[in-house]
Amino acid sequence: MTRLRRLAILAVALAAAGAAGTAMVQQGAGEPSRAEWLLEQGRPGEMAASLEGPDTAYVIVGLEAPRATARVSVTAPGGEEAYSGTLSTRMSVDYFMVEGPGVHEVRVELVSPSPSAATVEVGQTLSAGTMWPAIILVAGVALGAVCAVAAIVRYITAQPDEKTL
């Protein structure tokens, strides 16, 4: 077996191990908290999301009405504000830091005058746990790319262009 073929097999193994490791970490994340409301001005939607920390969490907000604007805030268990933002797009994804475990309160308040259906999802990224599997995955893909370029260069030098004078 040639050295290039062994490196290619190693690249595939690294990429597969990194992808499997990332998938295993993400399966341990648990289910994200989801809620749907028909929001009207003055009637906010509220939900609770159980998050473990320290980690990076995400909040996905979707607004159905065109040109709808909503204010989103996430409050940590101690009462301090973990995230606050105003959204004016149909779908928005933002990230915030979770300092410690507990139930976080999520509040979505419509700023625009017309009512709108809203969907909210809050979950964790588990970024600390996925770092090493992701590095292994990237190393495998990079090694695979190097092997592919080396195979192409080897083929070009072994089969020179027949049309040269």
Side-chain angles (χ1 to χ4, degrees):
M1 197 182 291
T2 66
R3 188 180 319 168
L4 186 60
R5 186 168 288 171
R6 286 184 189 142
L7 282 176
I9 291 171
L10 177 64
V12 169
L14 283 174
T22 302
M24 285 175 36
V25 169
Q26 290 299 321
Q27 279 185 335
E31 286 295 313
S33 301
R34 292 184 179 93
E36 294 183 18
W37 305 288
L38 178 60
L39 295 178
E40 296 177 0
Q41 195 172 21
R43 281 188 31 206
E46 296 179 351
M47 67 177 267
S50 179
L51 301 172
E52 301 293 323
D55 193 13
T56 304
Y58 65 88
V59 58
I60 301 173
V61 179
L63 301 171
E64 294 296 323
R67 295 186 299 267
T69 304
R71 186 172 299 119
V72 179
S73 64
V74 179
T75 306
E80 69 245 12
E81 194 168 67
Y83 170 78
S84 178
T86 302
L87 314 170
S88 59
T89 58
R90 291 188 74 114
M91 181 66 77
S92 176
V93 180
D94 280 327
Y95 299 92
F96 61 95
M97 291 302 298
V98 176
E99 299 301 325
V103 177
H104 291 63
E105 296 296 323
V106 181
R107 180 182 172 108
V108 181
E109 183 177 357
L110 197 63
V111 177
S112 54
S114 61
S116 175
T119 58
V120 176
E121 180 179 319
V122 179
Q124 292 186 231
T125 61
L126 299 177
S127 58
T130 58
M131 184 172 58
W132 284 109
I135 289 171
I136 292 170
L137 174 66
V138 169
V141 169
L143 184 60
V146 168
C147 289
V149 169
I152 290 171
V153 167
R154 179 183 284 182
Y155 177 78
I156 290 173
T157 55
Q159 307 289 331
D161 192 11
E162 296 173 1
K163 295 182 183 179
T164 57
L165 297 175

